[in-house]
Each structure stands twice: as C-alpha cells, then as structure tokens.
C-alpha cells in the first residue's frame, strides 16, 4: 500500500525531503535552549556580571529565532508536499477510473468512488503531513530530550523509565480498540453518500411520490450510524489526553520534590537549580513528543483504512486493454457475432446472452426488439467493447474487436445510450463532444437530421443556450435529440440508438429516421426500440427473448412467422393477430 501511494509524490519529492531536514534543525535548536537556560540560571545563582546575562540572553534569542525560522520553513514545505501529494493522488485515481471498463465500474459504487476521492484522500493527506513533519519531530525530540535529561538529571531521570512504558502500553490499547471501528466507519460513509446521491438525482421522483420524510429518515439513520461509530472511537481516543496530562504532572511533581530534596541534602553538590529547570523543560518536551506520537498513530490508524480503499482503485486493472500491436483503421461498418455468450460476472449463474450468431452488412439498418430484460442493450455494448464477450467473438470491419485500438474502435462506433446524459455547458459545447473541431454549419446540419434544430432555434440564445447539469432545463425528448446529434457529429461507421427516441412523438421519430437515411446512408445503423414503428422500415429486425435470438427478418416476415413480434406489433397498433397478418398478405 505504501509503495503504491508513494508513486503519487512525484514532483513534490524535494519538498517531502526538505521537511524532515528543517524539522530536525528546529528540534536541535529547541533541545539546546533548556541547556543554555540552565547554564544561565547557574551563572545568575553564582553572582555573574551583567554582560554574562546579556551574552546568554543573545544566544537564547538567536536560537529561538533559528527555531522559529526552521519551524516556519518546515511548515511551508510540508504544506506544499502534502497538498501536492493529495492533488496527484486524486488525479491518479480519476485517471484510473476513466480507464475502467463497465465491468470495473460495476464493481465500485459511484458513491464509494466519491468517498475515496474526497474523505479517504483527505485522511491520507493528513497522515502524510504528520509523517513527514510530526512523525520526524516527535521521535527526534523524544530521543534528544531523554539523552539530555539523563545527562543533566542523574537519578531523577529514572522516572522516565517508569512513565514511558506505561504511556506506550496505554497507547497500544487505545489503537487496538479504535482500529476496528475505523475499518467499519468508512464503509458506512459509502452508504451515506449513496443515500445523498440517490436522493438528489431522484429529487423529482421523491417529491412526486411525497417520500421526503422517508428519505430524511433514511439519511438520518445512516448519519446516526456513522455518528455512533465515531463517538465510540472518540471515547476511546479521549483517554489519551488525560493519561498524558496525568503523567506530565506526575513527572513534574517528582522532579520538583525529589530534585529539591537532592539539592537540600547535598547542599547543591549533586544537583543545582539550573538542572531542575532543565529537567522540567525536558520532562515537558518528552511527554509532549509522546502525545504528538499518539496523535500520529491515531491519524495513521484512520488513514491506513483509507489508504487500502484508495489502493483498491489504483490497483484495479481494466478488464479491457489494448493489444500489443492494435489495429488503428476500421475498414467498414460490418458486424459479425460468432457463438457469443456473455455474463456480467464470472460468478453469475446464468448468461445474459447465449448462442448469438449474427452477420450485419455495412450500411444496413437493423432494428432490435424484445421484452424488458431480453439483453438488447447488452448486445450492442459488446460492439464497442464497453464489455467483452465471455465466449465467442465480435468482429467489426472483418476484424475481432479485441484486435483494435480501443479509442479507434469507439470513435468508429457512436452509441446513444438508453440513459441520455448532457453535461453542464452550452449546447455547442455538448455537441462538440462528438467532434471537438465541428464547425457551426456541421452542428446545425447534425441537429437538423436529429430534428433538434427547430427547438434549439426557438431558444433566445440558440446554440449558445446553457444546459444545466444533467440537462435539467430541457425535456426528455429534447435531450434525446441533442444526444443523437452529438453522435452524428462523430460521423461513425456504426451508429447505435439504444431506445433513444422513446421520449419523442411518432412524427418526430419518423423525421429522425428519415434524416438518418439521408445523412448517413453508408453508416450501419442499429436501432433498439420498444415501438415497432421505430424499426418497421429497417432492412432486418432482430427479436431477442431471454438473451437469445428468437427470429430475424423484415417487418412483414416477422408478422407472419414470429409470435413475439406479432404480439408486440398488435398490442401497439390495436389490431388483432389475424388483421395484422391479412394486412401483410394484402400488401
């Protein structure tokens, strides 16, 4: 985990190295100051001259200034290193997610990925900041202070041999108890974020069904659960402070009482006032360094779980990769499925698609119909390698899709998915997702083919109209037409419309189909639709049932010979089966 996370330090390696150097110099200055102070006290006690006091005073001021300077420098470079590390870590995670296949994305919930890129990265950032600064400062201060206390305190320093093991044991117990709680709490963060995401995304549904109280209660339960775990963890960690303070005051009392007794009984020969002063300072430094170490351990305890979750994302290998020598040119839009079987997970008990054998010529218009759950969308997602087949092969342009460069393949296959997504920005900016170099004339032409130009022109700002996040300020039908126009701008060899005209009326649907014939006669068009009217003009129609091809034929052939298609057709056109067949025969 540490090895993987350290790869994100990169250009901030220099700042990460300078931080402990400056911290070391700061600690050296701080640990020498009590010694100089003790010498000054002894000189004053012995009746020194005023210039001696001035000399020691100037030395102390200089050392204090140097300590301050090194402290400031360490803080600046530490902030640069830790914030830069977090920036790189988020970038690396986001870049990895961008390369994920649909199968990889299915493995992680969206809310979980958000938590990992925000809360988990922040925890790791805080731990990294503590490691390169406080985790260096505390041990150095501890070692220097113990050595100096032993040299100056003699037998009085024995108290540390008793206190330090007690503190170490208490800290061990605290971490042992708190660690399991932190492991659980981050998983609950995912559930909380998932609740927020679902609620915000489905706000219209929540309000239309008057389920605000239910959603509030669901969120309250998730928040209370997290609060309960953190409360239990904080209760355990709360013992750390009082134990530290108790030991600090116990040491101070022992040093003052035993030291005073030693001075009185030895008449200053075994110990003097300056040594007691130094011992008190070193006692405070030793215990404060232990307190800092305990804070570091607590933060590392939290961050270790966050780090594991981040590394899970960084180590996740995309199930779809480029071959060693990928093909970067696609001859045409022909498609062939050969013995294709597919399931979403190796653990799945049944295949989503089975025994798919199908050949589609370049330039053909293919309709796909079938009941809900018949795997229509799954079939077309195999063409552009959003998923890879479990068995068999899919070929485009005469070559197996696994042989192509993924970017080349997906640029040649434009897919308008069932869930249409628009991004915040102008209509032009959204359209240029299809072709970033598209001219205004090309965008207008594509929108005319998608029957979108008319409603765009009705907007006051036309093609410069701002689209809210997710396309919230346009209707479902308008959103679908903009997505179709965006796909057309790619000028693909294969165009897939996955139920992409379900929100438009039949007249607009026909305008779009007519536009596609004129605009892209050589493009292979695959239209998935619930309405038979959307595919009745197709060269061939594929009927899917339970993940298998039930029949392939024209509209007329399927009305005569296929019960599933005939049932869909008659239910939508309010005809009985006999009338539908007679109409075909008479035609």
């Amino acid at each position: 985990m540490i090895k993987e996370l350290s790869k994100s330090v990169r250009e901030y390696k220099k700042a990460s190295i300078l931080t402990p150097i400056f911290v070391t110099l700061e600690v050296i200055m701080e640990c020498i100051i009590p010694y100089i102070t003790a010498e000054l006290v002894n000189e004053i006690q012995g009746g020194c001259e005023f210039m001696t006091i001035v000399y020691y005073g100037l030395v102390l001021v200089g050392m204090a200034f140097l300590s301050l300077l090194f402290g400031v420098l360490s803080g600046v470079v530490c902030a640069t290193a830790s914030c830069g590390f977090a920036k790189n870590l988020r970038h690396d995670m986001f870049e990895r997610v961008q390369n994920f296949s649909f199968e990889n994305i299915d493995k992680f919930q969206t809310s979980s990925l958000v938590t990992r890129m925000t809360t988990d990265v922040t925890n790791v950032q805080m731990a990294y900041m503590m490691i390169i600064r406080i985790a260096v400062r505390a041990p150095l201060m501890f070692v220097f202070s113990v050595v100096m206390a032993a040299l100056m305190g003699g037998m009085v320093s024995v108290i540390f041999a008793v206190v330090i093991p007690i503190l170490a044991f208490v800290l061990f117990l605290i971490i042992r108890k708190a660690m399991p709680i932190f492991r659980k709490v981050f998983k609950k963060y995912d559930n909380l974020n998932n609740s927020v995401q679902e609620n915000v995304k489905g706000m219209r549904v929540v309000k239309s069904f008057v389920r605000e109280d239910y959603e509030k209660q669901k969120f309250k339960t998730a928040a209370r659960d997290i609060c309960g775990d953190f409360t239990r963890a904080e209760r355990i960690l709360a013992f750390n402070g009082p134990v530290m303070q108790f030991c600090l005051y116990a040491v101070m009392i022992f040093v003052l009482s035993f030291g005073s007794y030693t001075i009185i009984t030895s008449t200053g020969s075994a110990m003097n006032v300056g040594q007691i002063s130094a011992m008190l300072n070193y006692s405070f430094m030793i215990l404060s360094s232990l307190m800092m170490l305990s804070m570091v351990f607590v933060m590392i305890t939290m961050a270790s779980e966050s780090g594991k979750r981040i590394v899970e994302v960084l180590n996740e290998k995309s199930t779809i990769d480029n071959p060693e020598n990928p093909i970067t040119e696609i001859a045409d839009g022909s498609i062939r499925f050969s013995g294709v079987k597919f399931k979403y997970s190796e653990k799945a008990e049944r295949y989503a698609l089975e025994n798919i054998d199908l050949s589609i010529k370049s330039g053909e218009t293919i309709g796909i119909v079938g009941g809900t759950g018949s795997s229509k969308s799954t079939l077309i997602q195999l063409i552009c390698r959003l998923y890879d087949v479990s068995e068999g092969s899919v070929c485009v342009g005469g070559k197996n899709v696994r042989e192509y460069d993924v970017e080349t393949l997906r640029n040649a296959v434009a897919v308008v998915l069932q869930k249409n997504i628009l991004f915040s920005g102008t209509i032009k900016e959204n359209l240029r997702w299809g072709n970033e170099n598209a001219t205004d004339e090309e965008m207008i032409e594509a929108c005319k083919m998608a029957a979108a130009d008319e409603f765009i022109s009705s907007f006051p700002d036309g093609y410069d109209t701002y689209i809210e996040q997710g396309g919230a300020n346009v209707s479902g039908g308008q959103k679908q037409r903009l997505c179709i126009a965006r796909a057309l701008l790619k000028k693909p060899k294969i165009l897939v419309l996955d139920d992409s005209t379900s929100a438009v009326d039949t007249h607009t649907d026909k305008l779009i189909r007519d536009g596609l014939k004129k605009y892209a006669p050589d493009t292979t068009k695959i239209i998935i639709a619930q309405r038979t009217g959307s595919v009745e003009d197709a060269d061939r129609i594929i009927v899917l049932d339970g993940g298998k091809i039930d029949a392939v034929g024209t509209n007329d052939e399927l009305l005569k010979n296929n019960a599933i298609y005939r049932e869909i057709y008659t239910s939508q056109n309010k005809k009985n089966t006999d009338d539908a067949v007679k109409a075909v025969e008479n035609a």
Side-chain angles (χ1 to χ4, degrees):
M1 179 185 70
I2 294 172
K3 183 179 179 181
E4 188 65 35
L5 292 174
S6 63
K7 293 177 183 177
S8 297
V9 177
R10 293 198 290 276
E11 69 269 29
Y12 298 99
K13 191 178 292 183
K14 181 181 177 181
S16 300
I17 294 171
L18 284 174
T19 300
I21 292 174
F22 286 135
V23 167
T24 302
L25 294 172
E26 179 191 10
V27 170
I28 291 173
M29 293 298 106
E30 287 186 10
C31 289
I32 295 176
I33 286 174
Y35 175 77
I36 302 297
T37 304
E39 291 294 314
L40 175 59
V41 170
N42 290 334
E43 289 288 344
I44 294 172
Q45 190 180 10
C48 66
E49 296 179 357
F50 177 73
M51 290 307 296
T52 302
I53 297 173
V54 172
Y55 168 75
Y56 277 104
L58 290 174
V59 171
L60 287 172
V61 169
M63 296 190 73
F65 175 77
L66 288 174
S67 176
L68 175 63
L69 176 64
F70 292 135
V72 170
L73 289 174
S74 67
V76 170
V77 291
C78 179
T80 301
S82 59
C83 292
F85 167 66
K87 179 203 72 174
N88 286 345
L89 196 55
R90 287 193 180 95
H91 174 270
D92 294 345
M93 289 180 70
F94 188 77
E95 190 174 76
R96 176 67 67 180
V97 171
Q98 291 299 303
N99 292 326
F100 280 176
S101 66
F102 275 25
E103 184 178 340
N104 297 121
I105 293 172
D106 291 341
K107 182 178 177 180
F108 298 98
Q109 289 183 340
T110 305
S111 57
S112 178
L113 289 173
V114 171
T115 305
R116 292 169 201 242
M117 288 191 190
T118 51
T119 304
D120 288 334
V121 171
T122 300
N123 287 337
V124 171
Q125 176 188 349
M126 291 296 295
Y128 185 69
M129 180 268 291
M130 286 187 167
I131 288 169
I132 62 175
R133 191 179 185 191
I134 300 177
V136 174
R137 176 186 172 83
L140 284 175
M141 182 177 286
F142 176 78
V143 172
F144 278 132
S145 299
V146 168
V147 171
M148 294 300 291
L151 290 174
M152 298 193 70
M155 289 299 296
V156 178
S157 61
V158 174
I159 183 65
F160 297 115
V162 177
V163 172
I164 291 172
I166 293 173
L167 289 174
F169 180 69
V170 170
L171 182 60
F172 169 76
L173 291 179
I174 289 173
I175 292 174
R176 187 179 180 184
K177 292 287 185 182
M179 178 78 82
I181 299 175
F182 287 123
R183 284 199 186 103
K184 292 190 299 181
V185 78
F186 290 112
K187 294 179 181 178
K188 293 178 180 180
Y189 260 128
D190 293 345
N191 295 332
L192 183 70
N193 283 342
N194 192 42
S195 176
V196 174
Q197 183 187 13
E198 285 183 344
N199 186 270
V200 173
K201 193 173 181 180
M203 185 61 70
R204 289 176 175 82
V205 178
V206 172
K207 290 189 176 298
S208 64
F209 282 89
V210 197
R211 297 286 282 177
E212 291 93 340
D213 290 341
Y214 171 78
E215 288 296 321
K216 287 177 185 176
Q217 185 60 41
K218 188 170 74 171
F219 179 84
K220 185 178 180 180
T221 301
R224 189 191 299 122
D225 204 11
I226 291 175
C227 178
D229 281 345
F230 265 120
T231 301
R232 284 192 293 273
E234 290 295 335
R235 283 174 181 168
I236 295 170
L237 297 177
F239 283 101
N240 186 48
V243 171
M244 288 287 182
Q245 291 296 329
F246 174 79
C247 291
L248 174 62
Y249 290 125
V251 168
M252 289 177 67
I253 292 170
F254 177 82
V255 169
L256 284 171
S257 58
F258 189 75
S260 301
Y261 174 77
T262 304
I263 291 173
I264 293 169
T265 55
S266 66
T267 63
S269 60
M271 179 173 281
N272 54 47
V273 176
Q275 285 177 289
I276 289 182
S277 171
M279 281 295 294
L280 288 175
N281 283 322
Y282 287 127
S283 299
F284 180 79
M285 292 168 72
I286 289 170
L287 294 175
S288 63
S289 64
L290 286 174
M291 188 174 290
M292 284 190 286
L293 275 176
S294 69
M295 290 168 56
V296 172
F297 278 118
V298 169
M299 193 65 237
I300 290 176
T301 300
M302 292 176 60
S304 63
E305 292 306 312
S306 293
K308 288 175 186 176
R309 285 159 53 84
I310 290 170
V311 170
E312 279 181 9
V313 176
L314 294 176
N315 286 340
E316 181 73 12
K317 301 293 183 183
S318 175
T319 56
I320 295 176
D321 291 316
N322 274 335
E324 289 186 8
N325 299 301
I327 300 171
T328 55
E329 289 186 14
I330 297 176
D332 54 45
S334 61
I335 306 167
R336 187 175 75 252
F337 290 83
S338 302
V340 168
K341 290 185 178 181
F342 172 77
K343 56 184 176 182
Y344 286 97
S345 169
E346 293 181 0
K347 298 178 182 178
E349 296 181 359
R350 59 180 293 273
Y351 286 97
L353 288 169
E354 283 188 90
N355 305 322
I356 303 297
D357 289 286
L358 179 67
S359 291
I360 300 172
K361 296 177 183 177
S362 182
E364 268 194 301
T365 298
I366 301 296
I368 302 178
V369 296
T372 302
S374 58
S375 298
K376 302 185 293 296
S377 297
T378 304
L379 180 70
I380 58 96
Q381 287 172 359
L382 300 178
I383 298 171
C384 55
R385 291 193 74 192
L386 296 178
Y387 291 101
D388 268 338
V389 298
S390 302
E391 295 181 28
S393 65
V394 178
C395 294
V396 170
K399 300 289 184 180
N400 193 312
V401 291
R402 294 178 187 264
E403 298 177 23
Y404 286 112
D405 173 70
V406 175
E407 188 174 333
T408 299
L409 176 66
R410 291 178 181 169
N411 275 329
V413 182
V415 182
V416 184
L417 294 170
Q418 205 167 13
K419 294 179 180 179
N420 298 286
I421 298 295
L422 293 175
F423 297 90
S424 53
T426 65
I427 290 177
K428 281 184 180 179
E429 289 171 344
N430 272 276
L431 291 173
R432 285 198 170 108
W433 274 65
N435 178 3
E436 60 183 358
N437 298 316
T439 64
D440 290 353
E441 290 74 21
E442 287 174 327
M443 286 189 283
I444 292 170
E445 185 182 5
C447 287
K448 284 180 178 178
M449 295 303 103
D453 180 67
E454 185 179 350
F455 78 78
I456 294 174
S457 300
S458 69
F459 294 149
D461 296 326
Y463 283 78
D464 291 315
T465 300
Y466 189 83
I467 300 294
E468 301 292 342
Q469 185 179 15
N473 58 332
V474 291
S475 69
Q478 290 171 337
K479 190 189 299 184
Q480 286 185 334
R481 283 177 275 175
L482 286 172
C483 289
I484 292 171
R486 182 174 62 189
L488 290 173
L489 280 170
K490 289 183 74 173
K491 296 182 180 177
K493 286 183 166 59
I494 300 170
L495 175 65
V496 178
L497 303 180
D498 186 0
D499 203 17
S500 303
T501 57
S502 58
V504 301
D505 57 80
T506 53
H507 174 67
T508 305
D509 186 12
K510 188 175 187 310
L511 289 176
I512 293 171
R513 284 185 281 123
D514 291 342
L516 291 177
K517 288 179 183 178
K518 296 176 184 177
Y519 183 76
D522 298 326
T523 298
T524 303
K525 294 169 279 292
I526 299 175
I527 303 170
I528 297 175
Q530 299 294 335
R531 294 189 299 226
T532 56
S534 298
V535 297
E536 62 185 3
D537 295 332
D539 298 317
R540 284 183 295 161
I541 300 169
I542 301 167
V543 180
L544 284 177
D545 183 37
K548 298 178 181 179
I549 295 178
D550 189 73
V552 179
T554 64
N555 178 69
D556 293 348
E557 290 170 349
L558 293 174
L559 279 174
K560 288 181 181 179
N561 305 317
N562 186 259
I564 295 175
Y565 186 81
R566 197 160 49 236
E567 182 182 349
I568 296 171
Y569 181 88
T570 54
S571 65
Q572 291 179 0
N573 292 278
K574 297 182 179 179
K575 294 182 179 179
N576 60 47
T577 303
D578 293 337
D579 289 341
V581 174
K582 285 178 183 178
V584 170
E585 291 174 345
N586 292 334

